[in-house]
Amino acid sequence: MSEPARAPTFRSAVVPAAGLGTRFLPATKTVPKELLPVIATPGIEMVAAEAAEAGAQQLLIVTSPGKDAIAAHFADSSELEAELKARGKDSLVQKVRRAHDLIDVRTVTQDEPKGLGHAVGCAREAIGPDEEAFAVLLPDDLVLPTGVLTKMAAVRERHGGSVLCAFDVPRSEISAYGVFTVSDTDDDDVKQVHGMVEKPAPEEAPSTLAAAGRYLLDRAIFDALDRITPGSGGELQLTDAVALLISEGHPVHVVVHRGGRHDLGNPGGYVRAYVDFALDDPDYGPDLRAWLAARLNG
Ligand code: UTP
């Protein structure tokens, strides 16, 4: 007899994409940062695929009034597909359809960029009252290989509460990140979180575990978001709401992801990601490798 299917720990994945993308100006005057491609696939499509792979059934994209192109990327594209078919470009049809077929997409609007915490709060009404937890994926953060959300869901099943994702980074680089104060559990890759500090000096960092853009949040976060006050720049910080929950005894754990990561949110990280993916690409990799070698020796 086959095992009964287990209810997935979360049904909705929230993708905040309403920021200003100032680090990518002037491109982001008109092109949402989340649609910038790595090779030919926008970062937000990669993250949608990751959410679908982890079992999410609906993707709630938080957008702002000027960023309609994001929803359009996931909309039905049958006209373009018919045109491609008529031209005999069948392999492109699959690529074009993919975003629409991956997962059900809904958008919610954040009228003003009042911070990540505020953006997550905008998804509140779109998450069913029966959903005890939901995922949040930052579309400018590629966590590789995919699969960490599945591990995070298993940690919530075991410990309850909320589960975040961390990377172990060299102490000399830690000042660029939000850093967790943790204690061990019986699993080397899972730590209990007691607090978080933003961008500490290396000698003051409570650990070398840096926050990554993946969250599995208990719906108690919405109530916590209502009770925190805006921080610098008038923005509501998601980490402040998580800190409030921790102070009230809500269990928070991190899964330490032993893999790679790309920050697509700034031009330097984006170039790295692009080159990394291009080097592995069967069409572009060999040529790029030869060109880079010559360029570096030139
Ligand atoms: P970032 O801080 O990386 O994005 O937020 P940003 O604010 O657009 O970029 P810069 O700093 O101005 O260059 C991480 C994610 O959260 C979303 C962003 O769109 C990005 O995908 N975000 C941020 C919102 O949805 N709303 C906000 O108010 C802030």
Side-chain angles (χ1 to χ4, degrees):
M1 210 170 82
S2 63
E3 292 273 320
R6 284 174 80 196
T9 308
F10 62 93
R11 207 160 73 215
S12 299
V14 176
V15 178
L20 291 176
T22 54
R23 288 168 292 171
F24 260 109
L25 284 168
T28 43
K29 280 165 73 183
T30 54
V31 181
K33 170 174 85 172
E34 297 78 8
L35 288 181
L36 294 176
V38 178
I39 315 294
T41 306
I44 197 165
E45 184 178 321
M46 294 178 161
V47 160
E50 179 187 340
E53 180 194 303
Q57 289 162 28
Q58 79 164 341
L59 199 71
L60 293 169
I61 303 180
V62 184
T63 57
S64 57
K67 291 176 103 173
D68 303 337
I70 294 180
H73 181 72
F74 290 93
D76 174 78
S77 53
S78 18
E79 263 183 49
L80 175 58
E81 289 164 31
E83 181 64 34
L84 290 168
K85 259 201 189 118
R87 295 181 184 204
K89 296 185 186 293
D90 285 25
S91 66
L92 279 181
V93 173
Q94 295 310 317
K95 290 186 181 172
V96 164
R97 281 193 71 80
R98 180 171 178 257
H100 180 65
D101 288 351
L102 275 172
I103 187 167
D104 281 341
V105 171
R106 264 181 80 181
T107 55
V108 293
T109 305
Q110 184 189 29
D111 286 322
E112 281 178 76
K114 293 191 203 150
L116 182 57
H118 183 261
V120 169
C122 291
R124 185 180 199 149
E125 301 306 323
I127 290 176
D130 60 322
E131 295 183 65
E132 290 302 323
F134 61 96
V136 175
L137 296 87
L138 301 192
D140 51 7
D141 201 349
L142 294 186
V143 177
L144 303 161
T146 56
V148 74
L149 280 173
T150 305
K151 174 99 198 239
M152 289 162 68
V155 171
R156 179 176 148 94
E157 297 256 303
R158 178 155 178 224
H159 297 283
S162 297
V163 186
L164 314 185
C165 175
F167 276 80
D168 202 355
V169 303
R171 193 166 274 274
S172 57
E173 293 167 23
I174 201 78
S175 326
Y177 300 97
V179 182
F180 296 108
T181 305
V182 295
S183 59
D184 289 340
T185 69
D186 58 12
D187 182 337
D188 230 18
D189 292 341
V190 179
K191 311 282 177 196
Q192 183 166 2
V193 180
H194 304 285
M196 223 184 139
V197 281
E198 276 304 322
K199 304 184 169 52
E203 62 281 6
E204 279 161 22
S207 73
T208 53
L209 295 179
R214 300 290 178 274
Y215 308 77
L216 183 58
L217 297 172
D218 190 280
R219 67 177 302 126
I221 197 76
F222 291 126
D223 174 59
L225 283 166
D226 285 343
R227 292 186 288 129
I228 58 167
T229 45
S232 62
E235 296 197 342
L236 267 195
Q237 302 298 346
L238 186 58
T239 49
D240 288 348
V242 173
L244 177 61
L245 288 179
I246 292 172
S247 75
E248 294 172 345
H250 179 89
V252 176
H253 291 79
V254 279
V255 169
V256 183
H257 183 66
R258 316 279 180 193
R261 179 194 190 180
H262 282 301
D263 179 3
L264 302 179
N266 68 84
Y270 178 78
V271 167
R272 247 191 222 198
Y274 207 107
V275 171
D276 193 23
F277 276 75
L279 285 171
D280 285 345
D281 188 281
D283 291 332
Y284 307 118
D287 200 42
L288 176 67
R289 193 175 295 275
W291 182 83
L292 274 177
R295 176 73 173 77
L296 291 171
N297 289 327

